[in-house]
Amino acid sequence: MPQQNKGPRILIVDDEPSIRELLMTSLRFAGFGVRAVVNGAQTISAVLEEEPDLILLDVMLPDMSGFSVTERLREAGYTSPILFLTAKDDVEDKVKGLSVGGDDYVTKPFSLDEIIARIKAILRRTVPEEDNTALTIGPIRMDQDTHEVQVGDNSVELSPTEYKLLRYLMQNPNRVLSKTQILDHVWEYDFNGDAGIVESYISYLRRKLDPLTEESLIQTKRGFGYMLKVDED
């Protein structure tokens, strides 16, 4: 069954249950919409049913190779990116994958962080950005052209740093972000920033947002970090 999520839709193709479940869980946690199938025939059917934004495709499948699947999809007009998973650290296989229409590859055993980083990098290059000017998460709407923020029908005035912090939280809804991650993305520090500044600005945001919402949307996960908690439809 397709998994409902507001993020980009990823189709995972792998016949190993443990790898498939690991990828599904990790990608959902990272904010992607996820569906998984186990062979080439199911891949082609899934693309016809609902074209994904990216396919994470194992090269070694029980009915046909990932290369053959890619060739068929490209011939049928599917243009979205394909990221290969391969157990072979072989230059010829990598060249073959790219030559048949793949966009990138990751060699098993892989790092989940690497998988997610590569998916995001590919999507930044390939997914149209016309819908990215407005960001709506729960009751909060942010216009990234005018920098205007609304909670329901109420306008909220934010400082530039408060705006950047809220945008980072909105880009990662229902995901716990550590103070180090927030420093790196909002203040663009490496590891020498004062983590106390994160607590201060989280407090500033709460003072402005909480009176306009039924409950505090920015939650503290003690020992881990902060999360913008919103209900998913």
Side-chain angles (χ1 to χ4, degrees):
M1 292 290 293
Q3 301 297 323
Q4 299 301 317
N5 193 293
K6 295 180 181 180
R9 295 160 299 161
I10 309 297
L11 178 63
I12 298 169
V13 187
D14 200 300
D15 63 323
E16 295 184 46
S18 59
I19 292 178
R20 196 166 59 247
E21 290 298 323
L22 180 63
L23 288 169
M24 290 174 66
T25 300
S26 299
L27 292 181
R28 283 199 196 106
F29 186 77
F32 297 105
V34 179
R35 180 177 182 180
V37 296
V38 302
N39 60 40
Q42 289 182 5
T43 303
I44 294 168
S45 296
V47 171
L48 291 175
E49 290 173 17
E50 184 181 16
E51 185 171 311
D53 296 306
L54 180 144
I55 300 177
L56 187 56
L57 178 60
D58 189 20
V59 170
M60 302 296 291
L61 297 173
D63 57 346
M64 66 182 82
S65 75
F67 301 145
S68 296
V69 174
T70 300
E71 288 178 317
R72 294 191 186 189
L73 290 174
R74 295 306 191 213
E75 289 171 0
Y78 175 76
T79 59
S80 294
I82 295 174
L83 173 60
F84 286 115
L85 289 175
T86 175
K88 297 181 178 179
D89 190 13
D90 186 272
V91 173
E92 290 185 5
D93 283 333
K94 294 173 181 178
V95 171
K96 172 69 172 176
L98 298 177
S99 68
V100 298
D103 293 84
D104 204 349
Y105 55 83
V106 176
T107 303
K108 296 180 181 179
F110 51 79
S111 157
L112 290 171
D113 287 341
E114 180 186 9
I115 291 277
I116 292 169
R118 293 205 184 207
I119 288 174
K120 289 181 176 179
I122 293 171
L123 291 176
R124 280 197 298 270
R125 298 195 302 264
T126 59
V127 174
E129 296 184 355
E130 64 265 15
D131 294 330
N132 289 349
T133 56
L135 186 60
T136 302
I137 301 295
I140 307 173
R141 185 181 188 278
M142 173 179 286
D143 188 316
Q144 298 185 81
D145 282 340
T146 64
H147 287 194
E148 294 177 349
V149 175
Q150 285 188 304
V151 179
D153 296 326
N154 301 284
S155 296
V156 181
E157 294 294 328
L158 300 179
S159 71
T161 301
E162 290 169 346
Y163 175 88
K164 288 179 69 176
L165 174 57
L166 180 59
R167 181 174 61 183
Y168 185 49
L169 292 170
M170 291 178 69
Q171 289 170 335
N172 296 275
N174 297 320
R175 178 184 176 192
V176 178
L177 301 170
S178 69
K179 292 179 182 178
T180 298
Q181 288 176 303
I182 294 172
L183 280 171
D184 189 37
H185 285 80
V186 177
W187 281 268
E188 299 180 359
Y189 295 163
D190 290 324
F191 296 98
N192 298 318
D194 178 11
I197 198 171
V198 177
E199 297 176 15
S200 297
Y201 273 87
I202 289 288
S203 178
Y204 300 156
L205 271 184
R206 283 174 171 158
R207 291 176 193 172
K208 294 183 177 183
L209 300 180
D210 288 1
L212 305 177
T213 59
E214 295 181 359
E215 58 181 348
S216 181
L217 299 181
I218 302 175
Q219 297 188 358
T220 300
K221 299 297 180 181
R222 296 195 180 279
F224 295 96
Y226 301 96
M227 175 176 69
L228 183 67
K229 177 67 175 177
V230 293
D231 293 331
E232 296 183 355
D233 296 333

